[in-house]
Amino acid sequence: MSENFYKNVESIVNIKDLSREDKYQYMPISWSLVVTDIKNSTEAIKEGKYKDINLLGAMSIIGILNIDKSLDLPFVFGGDGSFLLIPNSLIPKAKQALLHMKKLALESYSLDLRVGIVPLRDIYTQKKEVKITRLLLPNEASQAIIKGGGLELADELLKNSQKYIINEKIDENFYLDLEGLECRWKQIESPK
């Protein structure tokens, strides 16, 4: 079943295997890439909003993961945004979750969260790839490892094209589940 694709991806246990092409699989064409990004994050960081920016990046992951907790979805945290791969069956609920996150970002943090969904079909049509493996970590958790230029293309499309931006009407009855959201901070003195 396509929805369980990532759950069945073989894990790499040796970090040296990350360079082995045979350890990666193409994500199914019936999936899409959720992309979020804070507009003008560099300026916002200069204003001291780096914790808020990181929190919103983490929120955009947990808000999608909580839509269907039975699914194992690969994601990448980018600091000022995120990438998540989802089966297309999740798109209607993912759009509502993203619209609610965008509203929360603006109302609570005065930050503009760009939200979009790019079908993998469109990425593959533009001759980019989304190949994936999972790295098994010592604590039995795993981390998605994604390569092929698809994430970079999706980020570019989000920033430079209106085609993939979600701008539908928000459903005020939709429940944005942020259970498990954490963004821990430990202050570290700069050597400079």
Side-chain angles (χ1 to χ4, degrees), residues 14-107:
N14 187 334
I15 200 163
K16 291 178 184 176
D17 287 338
L18 289 177
S19 63
R20 289 185 48 189
E21 193 64 33
D22 64 317
K23 295 293 183 179
Y24 291 81
Q25 297 179 43
Y26 280 96
M27 286 298 299
I29 203 161
S30 59
W31 282 53
S32 290
L33 188 55
V34 171
V35 188
T36 68
D37 174 68
I38 301 284
K39 275 188 184 177
N40 302 317
S41 59
T42 303
E43 290 78 18
I45 288 169
K46 288 177 185 173
E47 294 170 12
K49 294 186 172 187
Y50 59 93
K51 289 182 182 178
D52 296 340
I53 290 168
N54 278 191
L55 180 66
L56 290 168
M59 182 189 306
S60 61
I61 294 170
I62 199 73
I64 300 295
L65 293 178
N66 284 345
I67 291 172
D68 184 343
K69 296 177 185 176
S70 71
L71 293 178
D72 193 0
L73 302 175
F75 62 86
V76 175
F77 174 68
D80 70 337
S82 64
F83 300 95
L84 291 98
L85 286 154
I86 63 169
N88 288 346
S89 61
L90 228 55
I91 288 177
K93 288 183 180 177
K95 284 182 176 181
Q96 284 303 314
L98 291 165
L99 288 168
H100 280 270
M101 287 180 236
K102 181 175 182 60
K103 180 179 176 185
L104 182 65
L106 192 58
E107 291 177 354

